[in-house]
Amino acid sequence: MRRAWSYRDKLSDNERATLQSKIAQQENYLSTAYGANGGTTGLLDADGNALPSTTTALAGTTLVSNDAAVIRSVPKQLLTRDDVENDLELLQAELNENKFLRAHTYHEFLYPISFGQGDWINFVPRIGGGVTYYNDVEGGTSNVGNDTRPIFAAGFDLSAKFSKTWEDVQNRRIGLDGLRHIIQPYLNYSYVEADTIEGLGSIDRLTPSTRPRPIDVPFFTAIDDLKSWNIARIGVRNLFQTKRDGGTHNYAGINTYLDLFMEDPEFDRDVSNLYNDLFWAPLPWLALSIDSQLPIGSSDYNFTEVNSNITWMPTKTFSWSLGHQLLTDNPIFVDSSLIYSRIYTKINSNWGFSMNHIYEMEDSTLQYQSYSIHRDLASWTMSVGGLIRENQSGKDGKTNEYGLVLSLTLKDFPQVSIPLDLDPNPTGQGGRE
């Protein structure tokens, strides 16, 4: 017989309350036992209590919400005492305030080469190196103190381009004035060797995401979570172009690709999902996009996601964007079937009005709604409004948050905005991209 043990005994009152509030947001915890006998094992249920000495499986269990540290996200995996202790250390690291002095440098050399008749084949080898130095490290799961992480990277981009033009394809109703098809198969191979500093409490770290990570080191911004990897990204781009307003217009396209893992830095995968990023922009007032990924591997980290969006602008003063996001079988995020809408109308040359809504069909909840008035200030645009957000928490399962939005946006640089609000997602969907 083994002593019943609860990981909650190691938590402070504040940490225990934080963990309990996160667990309470999840609706279902499934445990299936086969047979029964006396005593206990190192297996724990979702409340941290020891289970009887049986074979127990937790299926599809996510112990925390999407925007918090993930304690256990692997479906169909047994929670042993060692598992929970490791997860507890990760949780403690998230709760601690991480501090350190960091110096990071990385340099990369590339040598583009084109060959073949008309230079239709492009080959860009690259090699790079760098170092990250940590000093006076506080937080994390162990006493790191001072440490240095060397970085070595090598890889190449290989692509080819083929095209064919049909000048006689004409259809003004759907915006066609000639048609050119460009097909571009490509391969991006990336090898990175970076030592992992055990116990380091990261600051610039990876956040849970359904999208593939960058595999080029200069574009990998989660410096503290940089790990060794060996990945080949293989794909093919199809692009359709037409003539418009005296220039070339990207009419439609689809990018299909996948990752092959010789060494996966995050999960134990051999192959990623199959990604398809599609767009269609036939007319100035109509645009459609569909981003999807479908499972082709057998890993628990293969899942299904389909995000679609259509933008319609029937007049110069009115536009409506409508989208749908479907996510199933993701080991970190809960299943979701979400509809979002954004409507903007221009009242006159100086004033406008917009409203955003997000509706989750899985639990029939209007998660987000916002209403804003916009004022043209010559070089700037000012927006003032209010928002209501409904969360899945509280004793009754739902609670509302209310907020005000005040933002200033520079017209020449729309990505530069001054948000004087406390809502990190004023658009209601996707944040500022």
Side-chain angles (χ1 to χ4, degrees), residues 216-415:
D216 295 327
V217 175
F219 299 106
F220 194 90
T221 58
I223 297 173
D224 300 327
D225 279 347
L226 182 63
K227 300 178 181 179
S228 299
W229 69 59
N230 192 357
I231 305 172
R233 181 164 293 171
I234 305 173
V236 57
R237 294 185 183 93
N238 284 274
L239 181 63
F240 296 89
Q241 297 178 327
T242 189
K243 292 179 287 186
R244 185 167 299 172
D245 299 328
T248 301
H249 172 69
N250 291 331
Y251 183 80
I254 181 170
N255 183 18
T256 302
Y257 58 100
L258 57 83
D259 289 340
L260 299 178
F261 298 98
M262 281 64 76
E263 182 178 0
D264 187 355
E266 290 188 86
F267 313 115
D268 186 19
R269 294 172 295 179
D270 296 321
V271 62
S272 70
N273 290 337
L274 178 65
Y275 301 96
N276 286 281
D277 300 337
L278 178 147
F279 77 91
W280 181 43
L283 300 164
W285 47 268
L286 182 65
L288 171 70
S289 65
I290 302 176
D291 296 338
S292 66
Q293 49 182 305
L294 302 174
I296 57 176
S298 58
S299 168
D300 289 330
Y301 293 94
N302 294 112
F303 57 92
T304 300
E305 181 183 31
V306 180
N307 299 328
S308 54
N309 179 80
I310 185 170
T311 299
W312 179 49
M313 190 176 178
T315 69
K316 293 182 178 180
T317 60
F318 179 85
S319 67
W320 183 23
S321 294
L322 182 66
H324 178 252
Q325 294 182 342
L326 175 68
L327 181 66
T328 60
D329 299 326
N330 186 283
I332 296 177
F333 298 101
V334 296
D335 289 354
S336 175
S337 181
L338 181 148
I339 297 175
Y340 62 91
S341 167
R342 184 181 189 274
I343 294 176
Y344 175 82
T345 183
K346 191 174 182 180
I347 301 173
N348 54 40
S349 59
N350 292 323
W351 293 90
F353 173 78
S354 68
M355 56 183 179
N356 300 273
H357 296 85
I358 300 178
Y359 181 78
E360 176 57 71
M361 292 192 291
E362 284 285 332
D363 52 17
S364 302
T365 300
L366 183 61
Q367 293 185 345
Y368 181 94
Q369 50 184 314
S370 68
Y371 307 89
S372 299
I373 295 176
H374 308 272
R375 177 69 164 90
D376 192 329
L377 301 175
S379 298
W380 294 79
T381 299
M382 181 180 70
S383 301
V384 180
L387 63 92
I388 303 174
R389 192 192 305 271
E390 186 169 315
N391 296 319
Q392 295 297 316
S393 61
K395 294 182 179 179
D396 58 353
K398 297 180 180 181
T399 182
N400 289 339
E401 295 179 358
Y402 303 88
L404 297 176
V405 178
L406 171 60
S407 66
L408 295 171
T409 304
L410 189 61
K411 285 184 177 179
D412 291 338
F413 301 95
Q415 298 298 326

Side-chain angles (χ1 to χ4, degrees), residues 169-179 242 244 249 251-252 280-286:
V169 175
Q170 302 285 331
N171 191 323
R172 297 292 183 178
R173 290 186 178 181
I174 58 175
L176 283 175
D177 182 10
L179 185 65
T242 189
R244 185 167 299 172
H249 172 69
Y251 183 80
W280 181 43
L283 300 164
W285 47 268
L286 182 65

Side-chain angles (χ1 to χ4, degrees), residues 124-135:
V124 185
R126 61 182 183 270
I127 187 170
V131 64
T132 308
Y133 172 71
Y134 295 92
N135 186 36

Side-chain angles (χ1 to χ4, degrees), residues 39-79:
T40 60
T41 71
L43 302 178
L44 308 175
D45 63 14
D47 293 324
N49 301 315
L51 294 170
S53 180
T54 60
T55 302
T56 307
L58 300 180
T61 302
T62 302
L63 295 187
V64 290
S65 60
N66 298 346
D67 56 353
V70 176
I71 299 178
R72 174 58 54 191
S73 61
V74 181
K76 304 182 181 68
Q77 176 159 344
L78 300 179
L79 279 179

